[in-house]
Amino acid sequence: MARFITDLAEIKGLSKEWRELAMRFKTPLLQFEWFLAGAETLYQPDQLRIFVHHSREGMRGVAPLVLTKKKGPERLEILGTGILDEPSGFIYENEASLRELMSAILQMGKPLLFRRLRNDSAKIKMLSQISVGKYFLRNETGSPFFDIQTTWDEFFAGMTSDNRNHLRRKQKLLE
């Protein structure tokens, strides 16, 4: 069963298990130190909602969320994403662990704002599978991008002359 923690000292006690679980996700943005720094500097302690799923064997998942209220109703969002706009997410051992986390989050009955998660992410898919009744999910992604499969010179040469001129003007402004 997953539960949420609001006490910073208790959250600090999770550091060893959190680090071990986060190693399977190859990004520093899911590491314990990243979220601890955000929890200590960006939020008040009463905003923390760190959902943790434990089994007899130890920690199986963490969803580091905060309760925020900017414009509109209170909502849960991933710690740090509303301020830093960095990609983030949850750490979990397997689909069952993610399901436990998502069930506990939905039981709070709060709107969810998950910034920087892809629409096809496991978290979004899991929400649509287990949600009962109505819930509000506002998913915001990062900056738009497209994958360039050639060299920059080839890509630049393939642009229209208007786009090349526009890009040159913007580059000069940056310089």
Side-chain angles (χ1 to χ4, degrees):
M1 182 73 181
R3 64 184 179 94
F4 70 86
I5 300 170
T6 59
D7 180 60
L8 202 51
E10 191 175 352
I11 293 166
K12 288 179 181 179
L14 301 173
S15 63
K16 183 177 185 289
E17 288 182 291
W18 190 316
R19 285 183 193 109
E20 289 171 4
L21 190 59
M23 286 186 352
R24 62 193 319 253
F25 297 89
K26 307 214 182 306
T27 174
L29 301 178
L30 294 178
Q31 295 297 318
F32 174 78
E33 290 76 11
W34 176 261
F35 287 113
L36 179 63
E40 290 178 330
T41 59
L42 303 175
Y43 300 98
Q44 298 299 314
D46 64 338
Q47 291 180 277
L48 299 177
R49 299 294 186 276
I50 309 299
F51 286 81
V52 180
H53 174 236
H54 270 99
S55 72
R56 288 184 210 128
E57 294 81 32
M59 181 187 287
R60 297 293 172 237
V62 179
L65 303 180
V66 290
L67 191 60
T68 64
K69 182 176 180 165
K70 293 175 187 166
K71 296 177 185 174
E74 272 188 332
R75 60 183 173 251
L76 289 170
E77 58 184 62
I78 301 172
L79 192 154
T81 58
I83 297 170
L84 303 173
D85 204 31
E86 292 289 346
S88 195
F90 307 159
I91 59 172
Y92 50 93
E93 184 177 69
N94 54 37
E95 189 175 309
S97 300
L98 178 59
R99 181 178 297 276
E100 284 289 331
L101 288 171
M102 297 309 271
S103 294
I105 291 166
L106 286 173
Q107 286 176 7
M108 293 254 339
K110 299 286 185 189
L112 307 174
L113 176 58
F114 290 162
R115 299 175 193 266
R116 305 295 307 264
L117 291 181
R118 294 170 41 131
N119 287 332
D120 62 351
S121 75
K123 293 135 208 96
I124 303 300
K125 288 178 183 176
M126 183 66 66
L127 270 176
S128 65
Q129 290 173 7
I130 66 173
S131 64
V132 177
K134 294 182 181 180
Y135 69 93
F136 173 71
L137 172 68
R138 182 173 163 199
N139 181 31
E140 295 182 352
T141 59
S143 302
F145 75 96
F146 54 95
D147 193 15
I148 300 173
Q149 299 294 322
T150 65
T151 67
W152 175 252
D153 290 335
E154 290 171 347
F155 175 75
F156 191 73
M159 296 172 78
T160 65
S161 62
D162 286 345
N163 285 340
R164 283 193 305 267
N165 289 332
H166 180 75
L167 186 60
R168 284 186 192 111
R169 282 191 302 275
K170 294 298 181 185
Q171 190 172 5
K172 284 181 184 179
L173 284 172
L174 283 172
E175 291 170 355

